[in-house]
Amino acid sequence: MVVYPLPPQLSPNPYLDQLYGPLEGLGVMVWRTRPRYALPALLAGRGERLLHLHFFDELTQQPGRWATAARTLLFVALLAALRGRGVRLVWTAHNLEPHELRHPAWAFLAYRYVVRQADAVIAHSASALEQLRARYGSPRRAAIIPHGSYVGLYGPPRPRADGRAALKLPAHGRLVLSLGTLRPYKGLEDLIDAFAQLPRETRGTLLIAGAPKDGAYADELARRAAQVAGARVEPRFIPDADLPLYLAAANVVALPYRSLLTSGMLLGALSYARPVVAPAFGPVCELVREGREGFLFTPGSVPSLRDALARALAHPDLDALGAAGLRAAGELAWPKIAARTAVLYREVTAEAAR
């Protein structure tokens, strides 16, 4: 069996590396090459060939309406041609819709087509699968295979004092961290506004750090943060080697997302024993319990986010919550996830052979 992931690489996210590394030892050949090489090989090849879709939004969603329409129709036609040539199709649904949703109708068409035509759809949680079915209908075959953890992936945990000193942050007081690419769907404006509503003498520091997806958006965040004492924005790419320092410096990691199906940063925070403030979406609630691994808020509600931040900052033992999160993350080992994925691949190809 030869599996072709799309995209073949996902820099800087290590998800694909962690998934496909163990698969090589399970009798699955993974060919992670550029689409311009992989697609002709899929179309012309023979034997058990499987296209594993992960993200395709950048192939279809464009600024212009007509470009989006043309690319979406071409994408649909390509998948139909691959299926006509005997290629099996698996999609891991990382998102319910594109993060930068420019043309909703065309995005809906692409997602619904993939759900209905895929031989199997992978969701990371039961709640995520339920949302997919409600939006796009039931897939032919569905599997719940969780997102793996990042325990130790970026290096060992670091002492808090080292993180604070290296990042030139206050040595004392609480630190709320938001880490990852700066994108509007993450609700970072809500986080700044909620932090500003907390009592100044107890709220400590808010640090928002990550590479900007859009320069104008990053500038707006920086302007908003400049008006709030204790808040700061670092609009820059954070190398993997620095992630343990940022997580060590933090008392709590905030995920103020307005939409979420899966979050690598949620797993990253839990994997480094950091409690989270997270939206009470179904997939999050399968990992985070109020007052146990973190604190939950109503998505899109600044008052609810403010109250969750207040509960976090007032908690007397955040390290105990971090330890609970680390235990939860420890159950999500990548070799087990890869093995379940390999089983699904074989089920799909065996069914096609019948």
Side-chain angles (χ1 to χ4, degrees):
M1 182 192 307
V2 183
V3 175
Y4 299 76
L6 184 69
Q9 305 291 335
L10 197 59
S11 179
N13 191 323
Y15 178 92
L16 296 183
D17 298 331
Q18 296 301 301
L19 173 63
Y20 290 118
L23 277 173
E24 297 286 0
L26 298 173
V28 178
M29 180 182 295
V30 182
W31 196 23
R32 297 176 65 182
T33 188
R34 294 182 178 181
R36 64 183 177 183
Y37 302 121
L39 294 175
L42 280 165
L43 287 166
R46 297 178 181 276
E48 294 180 344
R49 291 155 295 141
L50 190 147
L51 175 64
H52 191 162
L53 282 175
H54 290 276
F55 300 95
F56 53 84
D57 298 331
E58 292 191 2
L59 298 177
T60 55
Q61 287 281 304
Q62 298 292 305
R65 178 182 177 84
W66 294 113
T68 297
R71 281 175 167 263
T72 301
L73 293 174
L74 182 61
F75 175 70
V76 166
L78 175 62
L79 294 184
L82 290 170
R83 288 187 56 78
R85 290 289 300 152
V87 176
R88 300 299 97 195
L89 176 63
V90 172
W91 177 43
T92 294
H94 297 270
N95 304 317
L96 196 62
E97 62 186 15
H99 289 320
E100 280 73 45
L101 184 59
R102 297 185 177 101
H103 305 284
W106 287 107
F108 180 83
L109 172 67
Y111 275 58
R112 185 173 64 175
Y113 182 84
V114 170
V115 168
R116 293 187 175 185
Q117 295 301 314
D119 295 281
V121 171
I122 297 172
H124 289 310
S125 66
S127 297
L129 180 57
E130 185 178 321
Q131 290 182 57
L132 285 164
R133 283 175 167 153
R135 177 78 69 93
Y136 302 112
S138 295
R140 300 179 184 187
R141 178 191 293 269
I144 298 171
I145 303 177
H147 191 302
S149 77
Y150 296 137
V151 176
L153 179 63
Y154 301 110
R158 302 288 295 273
R160 177 162 292 132
D162 290 359
R164 297 277 179 105
L167 302 175
K168 298 180 173 57
L169 292 164
H172 305 288
R174 294 293 173 99
L175 173 68
V176 178
L177 173 69
S178 175
L179 192 61
T181 307
L182 309 183
R183 304 173 81 170
Y185 84 91
K186 293 186 176 181
L188 298 170
E189 307 97 315
D190 294 348
L191 177 58
I192 296 171
D193 292 347
F195 181 79
Q197 294 176 19
L198 296 171
R200 185 170 177 176
E201 63 275 10
T202 60
R203 68 191 182 205
T205 301
L206 168 64
L207 174 60
I208 298 173
K213 188 76 172 178
D214 176 83
Y217 178 65
D219 290 344
E220 172 57 30
L221 289 177
R223 283 193 294 270
R224 192 180 293 245
Q227 300 172 24
V228 180
R232 102 185 200 198
V233 175
E234 280 189 17
R236 68 179 187 90
F237 172 71
I238 309 300
D240 287 353
D242 290 347
L243 292 176
L245 287 172
Y246 278 85
L247 290 165
N251 296 98
V252 63
V253 174
L255 305 165
Y257 299 1
R258 295 168 181 162
S259 63
L260 184 150
L261 202 65
T262 297
S263 171
M265 185 46 62
L266 170 61
L267 270 299
L270 299 180
S271 297
Y272 278 81
R274 288 297 171 263
V276 296
V277 171
F281 292 113
V284 173
C285 295
E286 292 187 27
L287 286 171
V288 178
R289 296 164 295 176
E290 172 65 33
R292 300 287 292 276
E293 293 82 14
F295 305 87
L296 301 169
F297 66 91
T298 303
S301 169
V302 171
S304 181
L305 174 54
R306 176 201 62 212
D307 292 345
L309 287 171
R311 294 195 302 277
L313 294 172
H315 196 279
D317 193 358
L318 289 175
D319 288 343
L321 274 66
L326 179 58
R327 287 193 294 271
E331 298 296 319
L332 303 173
W334 284 103
K336 295 179 182 178
I337 290 165
R340 291 170 63 175
T341 304
V343 169
L344 179 65
Y345 288 163
R346 292 193 175 93
E347 290 174 351
V348 164
T349 54
E351 185 174 277
R354 288 199 290 268

